């Protein structure tokens, strides 16, 4: 049997759905999310992006050949150059300065997911690392697709319209597609035992992403 | 100015007290903790110990001289030989088999603290790693001392008497003392900037330990 | 196709033979090795063992399940408890004190192989790490077997008789066997692409082991 | 006492001079280096740059704050974007295709220095990593300055003129200066014990750089 990225999702459909169609996501689409929740999320997401950039740097370090290295480097650039700057600019529009972002205490949900990714990567190899990162990069692309289907999504006067645009952009969607292709290629070669190991990592990473939405919704420290 | 371990605690007194005198701890001492809460805790603590052993192994790897290596090795032995077996035996008394422990899904609070320790260690050096571990080893020794002072602690017919004995044992208390000495020696040499970095790690690790008690109390997955 | 440890050796027969039947090895068996060469080797091998112990600690850290963790732990114990003490005692017999060993500058060949192992392990997963370690643990067991077949090996009045005994001991030979079994089990599951990656690591590690013998022979710093 | 980067060099003057004014360097400046030696060096230096890029990625991962992260990221960009492409183009001029570079077996001297850097970085913290990298980035800048003073350096009809230009460029010299400043700032805060640890790393890294020149000169595999 040959595996692919969809198999990772299909092994844990309940968790994946709970993540993609989380209340935080729906309320973002509807434009009904409380400003306080969004601001909490936005600030923690800044810290998240920094760690996410560190995780892609770890992927560069762990690459065994130039092809993998260039793939990881492309991911790192999108995070630490494009996304991070977009995020800083976007925060400014919400009245959150870069200095304020720098001083931010890290919420538990941020600590939990980001550190999980690092351990998955350090303990395992490049594939374990990418699988732990997938709920974020691939997941956000899917969240964006879900919201474009979601009947209650409103794009007019939605205070979060710009956020919606950020993740439906070609740059982001294509990065997610490239990641799925990379994963498909590697997963096609793994044994059943190895797949189960990776599926466990994927599930745990997805659970921690759910917590990240939830922490936004409840403004948890 | 020269720093020591106590300075780490004094920088974050509120968090440290919230951890040492947590409701979970008090109820353990009183013998009033619900069996369900204790069983949840006991099972997650098995996973915790395995990761904790991995963290000491990381400390062995990161040691820069034989003295540090032997200190880390001693810690690893206490965890992966003494404590882990005590824990497995103790679980058996509560009707939890080793096979059941092996199949256990990892709760979020377990994921969060253990992975935080690994990242602190991989990102920083041996000192960062030991500082991230300190709330556990040193903290449990202090919890035990706190309970011996706590007026409501009862040692007669306390269903958790054996647990209380485990952490007041000389082996455990001496290991904690040796850890404090090791930290004191290193902290005496760090600059103020470096101390602040370490204090932040100590605080975050303590927060995640609080969550671990809380997850036991509420039986959170 | 299903791979096993022998396939790693068969892919690079020339290097493997150059390592197993190296002049240093033959002269050890014949008892003709110069004392200066042996003493140089013995001292560097002390540093090597310490790093080797660190590498097994890294394997403990990287283990994904308790079975792998216990296997790595057993390896670490043999190195950091049994072998290291045997080595320190043996050095004493050759007039090299533990204090002298502690002060030893590390030779290039020692730096090269040991650090290669660490990178293989950090960059890849537990299997990459064990493959990089195999030329040492499994290789020394095979060196011992080679010397018992080698027609010029002399066991009477051989100044290196004790060294020969150390590696033909059941403890050591069984550890090597357990390692081969562990590798066989994992290699049976890898794809051709993955095998080639591992074979490259195995070859480079073997080359660096050859250099370690050579550095002994020529007493290179 | 407060330390700076120069102290690292002054602790090991002999090794530092042997590296900066190595025969390989002098012959490069004189234009008398054999083409075979240069081609061997050029090819191994391609592999070196890839690992060096991985090492800067490790520095990005290990950064504890955004300032350090941006410094590491700038270094990574110079290596993996500017230098690597310059190097590939330059190799092409010498008739070495990118495909040929990809197939290159790694020489021992390349393995030794690069893996040493990774272990210094993984074992220690960001400062250990930068100290292990310094002989390369800062050293090459100093080699370039040395050659501009060296009386036998000839810039007319020197077949290696373009190489000389590469390292005297502002981009490269400024990157080296920024690295020295970064190191000066951190070294000013370390204790004597910590400085000695770092000085040992600096010395070993310098020794392995000497070997890298020597391997070029003798075309060692």
């Amino acid at each position: 049997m040959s595996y692919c990225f969809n198999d990772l999702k299909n092994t844990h459909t309940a968790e994946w759905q709970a993540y993609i169609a989380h209340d935080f996501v729906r309320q973002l689409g509807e434009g009904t999310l409380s400003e306080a929740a969004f601001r909490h999320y936005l600030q923690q997401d800044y810290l998240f992006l920094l760690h996410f950039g560190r995780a892609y740097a770890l992927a560069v370090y762990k690459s065994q050949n130039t092809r993998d290295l260039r793939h990881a480097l492309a991911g790192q650039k999108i995070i630490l150059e494009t996304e991070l700057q977009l995020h800083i600019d976007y925060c400014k529009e919400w009245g959150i300065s870069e200095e304020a972002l720098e001083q931010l205490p890290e919420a538990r949900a941020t600590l939990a997911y980001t550190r999980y990714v690092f351990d998955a990567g350090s303990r395992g190899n490049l594939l374990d690392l990418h699988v732990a990162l997938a709920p974020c990069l691939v997941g956000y692309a899917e969240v964006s697709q879900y919201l474009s289907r979601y009947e209650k999504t409103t794009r007019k006067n939605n205070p979060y319209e710009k956020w919606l645009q950020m993740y439906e952009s070609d740059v982001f969607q294509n990065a997610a597609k490239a990641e799925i292709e990379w994963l498909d290629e590697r997963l096609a070669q793994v044994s059943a035992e190895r797949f189960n190991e990776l599926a466990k990592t994927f599930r745990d990473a997805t659970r921690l992403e759910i917590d990240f939405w939830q922490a936004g919704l409840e403004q948890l420290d």
Side-chain angles (χ1 to χ4, degrees), chain A:
Chain A
M1 163 151 200
S2 163
Y3 298 97
C4 68
F5 173 68
N6 262 331
D7 296 320
L8 288 177
K9 295 199 308 186
N10 292 336
T11 324
H12 307 291
T13 322
E15 283 90 350
W16 190 253
Q17 279 317 307
Y19 166 46
I20 297 299
H22 193 276
D23 277 349
F24 187 96
V25 172
R26 293 178 193 238
Q27 294 178 19
L28 260 178
E30 297 163 8
T32 58
L33 186 69
S34 80
E35 194 187 309
F38 188 68
R39 294 173 70 91
H40 183 278
Y41 160 80
L42 212 54
Q43 295 178 71
Q44 288 301 316
D45 205 33
Y46 167 77
L47 295 177
F48 187 90
L49 273 175
L50 281 176
H51 288 300
F52 206 54
R54 289 178 57 222
Y56 269 99
L58 187 60
V60 172
Y61 161 67
K62 287 184 79 91
S63 295
Q64 305 261 12
N65 55 57
T66 44
R67 217 183 128 216
D68 286 347
L69 187 141
R70 286 184 199 284
H71 173 73
L73 208 55
Q76 189 196 306
K77 278 178 87 85
I78 284 176
I79 303 303
L80 288 180
E81 299 181 16
T82 317
E83 292 293 315
L84 191 64
Q85 197 50 53
L86 273 174
H87 203 88
I88 291 170
D89 295 346
Y90 189 45
C91 283
K92 227 172 269 171
E93 294 179 27
W94 284 80
I96 307 161
S97 72
E98 199 169 347
E99 292 69 39
L101 289 173
E102 287 280 340
Q103 300 305 321
L104 218 58
E106 202 168 350
R108 283 149 159 100
T110 315
L111 289 168
Y113 180 35
T114 57
R115 291 354 186 247
Y116 182 77
V117 168
F118 295 131
D119 181 53
S122 295
R123 192 184 194 178
N125 65 12
L126 192 63
L127 183 50
D128 299 86
L129 178 53
H130 276 279
V131 165
L133 286 167
C136 181
L137 179 52
V138 180
Y140 267 52
E142 203 162 320
V143 158
S144 174
Q145 293 155 25
Y146 165 77
L147 285 177
S148 76
R149 287 193 313 269
Y150 181 48
E151 70 275 16
K152 293 193 189 161
T153 297
T154 167
R155 302 297 296 259
K156 249 196 206 155
N157 299 322
N158 185 331
Y160 311 117
E161 170 61 19
K162 207 160 178 181
W163 189 92
L164 300 177
Q165 283 169 19
M166 192 145 47
Y167 296 105
E168 69 189 4
S169 72
D170 283 352
V171 171
F172 194 84
Q173 291 287 330
N174 288 337
K177 254 183 239 162
E179 188 67 18
I180 292 174
E181 278 167 33
W182 190 93
L183 285 166
D184 280 349
E185 215 175 297
R186 267 99 202 139
L187 290 170
Q189 292 187 33
V190 303
S191 66
E193 194 181 315
R194 178 83 172 110
F195 177 78
N196 290 337
E197 208 172 69
L198 294 164
K200 200 179 154 213
T201 298
F202 187 74
R203 176 178 171 261
D204 280 335
T206 304
R207 287 165 71 207
L208 297 168
E209 279 280 20
I210 295 172
D211 291 359
F212 196 78
W213 291 138
Q214 196 62 32
L217 214 50
E218 302 182 36
Q219 300 157 57
L220 304 173
D221 285 336

